[in-house]
Amino acid sequence: MVNSKGERNRQFPSKISTTSFVKLYILHLLKEKNYYGNEIIEEIKSRLSNKWEPSPGMVYPLLRELEEEGYVTGWWEEPDKRSIRRYRLTDSGYKHYQVILLQYKASFEDSLSIVQNVLTDIYGMKF
């Protein structure tokens, strides 16, 4: 595949890093309702039919980063215990989500096309 600059893309099949994908999905989920870290992991796992889940080592640093950037707000359910930190999307976070959603759309479409072509070519599956 050649990108718009005429450079060959050697990353297969997606041009979106796992970290960027998880960040997008976190913002997507928080657009719907408030979550805490483990809920986010379980929700992503569930929505991906239990085929993949992000690690806590990826999700929690991303939540801290998103909070530092002002895209999410976090609070402790029980401030004295500090055991469950819930998050919600801010207005700035929603605007950021809309921007990256548009940025990644073509990459998702390219990835889908590649996988569909491979499945059709190699396995004879039609879509």
Side-chain angles (χ1 to χ4, degrees), residues 21-22 63 72 77 109 125:
F21 168 73
V22 172
L63 285 168
V72 303
E77 272 191 2
E109 289 169 344
M125 300 171 75

Side-chain angles (χ1 to χ4, degrees), residues 52-113:
W52 183 82
E53 67 186 272
S55 71
M58 176 177 286
V59 170
Y60 286 101
L62 280 173
L63 285 168
R64 284 190 295 274
E65 177 186 314
L66 290 166
E67 189 170 14
E68 287 170 9
E69 292 170 341
Y71 298 142
V72 303
T73 299
W75 69 95
W76 296 104
E77 272 191 2
E78 298 177 53
D80 296 340
K81 293 183 181 179
R82 295 176 58 108
S83 59
I84 296 177
R85 189 164 180 80
R86 297 194 76 80
Y87 296 89
R88 73 167 180 80
L89 192 64
T90 63
D91 291 341
S92 174
Y94 182 72
K95 289 175 187 167
H96 180 66
Y97 166 75
Q98 290 177 312
V99 168
I100 63 174
L101 188 63
L102 289 175
Q103 284 177 339
Y104 296 152
K105 186 173 190 247
S107 294
F108 281 121
E109 289 169 344
D110 287 349
S111 297
L112 178 61
S113 175

Side-chain angles (χ1 to χ4, degrees), residues 6-18:
E7 300 166 338
R8 186 176 298 266
N9 178 19
R10 299 194 184 279
Q11 191 171 4
F12 178 86
S14 175
K15 296 180 262 183
I16 302 170
S17 72
T18 303

Side-chain angles (χ1 to χ4, degrees), residues 28-41:
H28 175 72
L29 293 175
L30 292 174
K31 176 177 69 75
E32 298 172 357
K33 70 175 200 169
N34 301 331
Y35 283 93
Y36 60 88
N38 280 336
E39 275 184 318
I40 289 171
I41 293 168

